[in-house]
Amino acid sequence: MKKGKIQNIVWFALLSLTTIFFPFCESFNYGKALSQSLLYFESQRSGRLPHNQRVTWRHHSALTDGLQQGVDLVGGYYDAGDNVKFGLPMAFTITLLSWGAIEYGDQMISAGEYAHALQAIKWGTDYFIKAHTQPNVLWVQVGDGYTDHYCWQRPEDMTTSRRAYKVDADNPGSDVAGETAAALAAASIVFRRTNPHYSQLLLHHAEQLFEFGDKYRGKYDESVGVAKGYYGSVSGYMDELLWAAIWIYKATEKEEYLKYFLDNARDFGGTTWAITEFSWDVKYAGLQTIASMLLAQEKHTKHETILKQYRSKAEHYLCACLNLNNNSMSNVQRTPGGLLYVREWNNMQYVATASFLLTVYSDHLLPTNQKLHCQKRDMGPSEILAFAKSQVDYILGSNPMAMSYLVGYGPSFPQRVHHRGASTESYKGNRGFIGCTQGYDNWYGRAEPNPNVLTGALVGGPDMKDQFKDDRRNYVQTEACTYNTAPLVGVFARFNVFHNETPLIASS
Ligand SMILES: *[C@@H]1O[C@H](CO)[C@@H](O)[C@H](O)[C@H]1NC(C)=O
C-alpha cells in the first residue's frame, strides 16, 4: 500500500474515530485467548507431569518435595517466574479459576475448553488435599524466595532448598487456611456434576480447614516467616475467613456458614471496608460482590439489611473501577490508554480481577435489567460489560504499545518474560544439568527472546503511561503469575460467546 503523509493523517483520524465511537469493531479471538490461558497452567505445573501434558518444554520436577518432613507434597503450581510453591496465592488462583468455571462453564464447554479448565483446577486441589495432612495441619509453602532467587534454574534442575513449611494449632494461619478452604469449596461446586465423590472430598477438607482457621486465629506470615517478604498477608485474615464462609455456604447451603458471614460482617470489615483492589491478599471486593448477588434469591430477603451493607461496599469497588464515585481519590486511576492502574508492580493482576468482577456483576444485573448504582450516575449491565471488554481488549493488544500482554497471543507480545523455565533452553532439548548461577551467566541476561514461549501468561504489564520494557530483568513488568491469568479464564470464555452470538447494545 502506498502511504502518503495526508493519507496517514486521514487514516489515523479514521482509526481514532473508530476507537472512540465504535470500540467494538476491533475484533479479538477470545476463544484462542481462552485456550492459551489454560495452557499456561501446564507450564506452571510442579511434580510428575502426565502423559497428556501439552506444554512439552516442561518435564517432571520437584519429585521429593516434602520428603525431608515426611509428607508427600509433590505437585501443585510454581507461583510465577520462580520455583517456589506459595500456598496463599496458589489457593487464590484456584478459587478464581473455579469461580470462572462456575459462572462460565457452559461457555467453556462450547469453546471445547471445559476439560482443560477442570484439569487446571484439579492440579491445584489434588495438591491441597495432600497438603492438608491432619484436620489442624496445612503445609503452605515449599521452597523459599530467598534461596530460590539466588539461582536462575529450570525447575527440572533445582538444587535450591525445598524445605516445606506448615501452619498448625500452635503456629496458626487463618488467612491461608481460609483461602484454601474457599478454593476447595468453590472447586467442589465445579466438580459436583462430573465427579461427585471428589466434590464431597473437597468439601470435607474445606469445612475442616475453615474450622481450623477460625479456631486458631493468626496471620500465616507470623508462623511461616519466609513467606513474609513475598506473600505477607497485609490485609490480615478476616477477609479470608468471610470469604471461606461464603464459599462454603454456596457449596453446602448450610445456614451456619451464612450466619457466620452475617454475624461477623461488621467486626471482620466485610461491611465497613471499602477497598479498590481485589487480589491474592485482599478479598473484600470479591466477598462483597457475592453477598450482593445473594440478594436476588428470595430466601435471603430476611437478611437484606446486612446484605445491602455488603452491597454498598461492592458498589463502591465496582463504581471505583468505572470512575463513577464522586471523589476522584476513591476511583481507580487509569493510564492515558485507558487501563485501570492500581500500582506499578504487576498492575495487570488488578486489571484481571476487576475485569472478572465487573463481568460477573454485569451478568448478574442483566436478566432483570437492573442498574449498578454509583454516586455520579447509574450504569446498566451492557455498559459495565463494555468497560470490562475494554480492559480485556487492552490486554490483547488494543493499547498504545500495540502489544498483547497475554504471552503468545497476536503478532506482538513480550519475548523476555521473567521466568526461569521459559528463559532457559528446554529440558527436552538439553537434559544436561544447568547449575544455580550458570543460569544467570548463560540465560538470564541474554538480549535474545526466551527460547520457550510461556503461552497464556499475563505479564505484569505497562507502567502508568502505558509504557512497557520487554526486558527479563524488568520483573516488575515482565513477570507473570498464576493469579494474573486465573480470573481471565472465565472472562475470555464469556467474551467468546459475546463475540460469537450476542450483538452489543451500545449503552443502556
Ligand atoms: C455526587 O455528585 C452528584 C453531582 O454533583 C450529586 O448530585 C450527588 O448528590 C453526589 N453524591 C454523593 C453521595 O456525594
Side-chain angles (χ1 to χ4, degrees), residues 139-159:
W139 294 85
V140 298
Q141 187 169 323
V142 182
D144 69 89
Y146 303 98
T147 53
D148 189 279
H149 290 196
Y150 180 70
C151 300
W152 191 264
Q153 270 181 308
R154 308 180 292 196
E156 292 82 2
D157 291 328
M158 258 189 297
T159 52

Side-chain angles (χ1 to χ4, degrees), residues 64-350:
T64 57
D65 276 5
L67 195 65
Q68 280 172 23
Q69 282 78 22
V71 46
D72 173 9
L73 294 173
V74 177
Y77 287 111
Y78 299 121
D79 168 64
D82 54 10
N83 303 325
V84 183
K85 296 196 291 200
F86 289 108
L88 182 61
M90 198 196 303
F92 182 69
T93 297
I94 300 303
T95 310
L96 269 286
L97 273 176
S98 300
W99 194 358
I102 293 166
E103 300 290 339
Y104 303 113
D106 290 344
Q107 290 85 339
M108 291 176 190
I109 291 169
S110 11
E113 288 295 339
Y114 195 55
H116 293 139
L118 295 189
Q119 284 161 17
I121 293 167
K122 194 162 183 288
W123 196 267
T125 51
D126 283 351
Y127 176 76
F128 296 140
I129 290 173
K130 282 183 170 183
H132 185 210
T133 48
Q134 292 170 44
N136 295 342
V137 176
L138 178 66
W139 294 85
V140 298
Q141 187 169 323
V142 182
D144 69 89
Y146 303 98
T147 53
D148 189 279
H149 290 196
Y150 180 70
C151 300
W152 191 264
Q153 270 181 308
R154 308 180 292 196
E156 292 82 2
D157 291 328
M158 258 189 297
T159 52
T160 48
S161 163
R162 297 305 290 173
R163 189 174 156 193
Y165 302 86
K166 67 176 175 181
V167 292
D168 58 26
D170 297 327
N171 309 280
S174 304
D175 31 30
V176 69
E179 184 62 60
T180 310
L184 293 168
S188 84
I189 300 174
V190 175
F191 285 104
R192 201 183 279 155
R193 253 189 313 166
T194 53
N195 196 344
H197 174 75
Y198 189 64
S199 169
Q200 272 307 313
L201 181 68
L202 297 177
L203 207 44
H204 173 71
H205 283 280
E207 293 196 72
Q208 269 190 354
L209 275 170
F210 173 70
E211 195 180 330
F212 163 54
D214 184 44
K215 193 165 170 190
Y216 302 97
R217 301 267 180 96
K219 267 156 55 80
Y220 91 112
D221 58 15
E222 300 290 334
S223 301
V224 179
V226 287
K228 211 164 205 161
Y230 294 86
Y231 287 102
S233 180
V234 179
S235 75
Y237 55 76
M238 291 189 287
D239 51 339
E240 279 88 2
L241 288 177
L242 293 173
W243 180 237
I246 201 62
W247 272 112
I248 300 176
Y249 173 66
K250 278 170 75 74
T252 61
E253 303 207 354
K254 285 185 192 167
E255 285 294 321
E256 61 190 274
Y257 293 105
L258 180 60
K259 188 173 181 324
Y260 183 97
F261 184 76
L262 298 167
D263 289 352
N264 292 296
R266 195 183 164 77
D267 291 348
F268 284 12
T271 52
T272 51
W273 275 105
I275 290 182
T276 54
E277 98 172 46
F278 176 41
S279 68
W280 60 265
D281 183 20
V282 194
K283 281 86 192 202
Y284 286 109
L287 63 93
Q288 288 158 351
T289 302
I290 293 176
S292 312
M293 299 195 293
L294 292 181
L295 278 163
Q297 288 168 278
E298 190 160 348
K299 67 177 176 182
H300 297 128
T301 312
K302 58 180 177 288
H303 306 301
E304 102 183 328
T305 312
I306 295 174
L307 290 177
K308 279 183 174 165
Q309 289 168 7
Y310 270 117
R311 186 176 65 186
S312 87
K313 301 302 173 191
E315 285 170 347
H316 181 272
Y317 171 85
L318 297 163
C319 298
C321 294
L322 296 163
N323 206 21
L324 291 178
N325 287 325
N326 271 2
N327 181 350
S328 64
M329 293 295 283
S330 60
N331 287 323
V332 179
Q333 274 185 280
R334 293 185 193 176
T335 66
L339 185 71
L340 290 172
Y341 187 82
V342 174
R343 62 179 67 90
E344 187 181 15
W345 191 350
N346 190 11
N347 181 60
M348 278 302 190
Q349 63 178 312
Y350 311 109

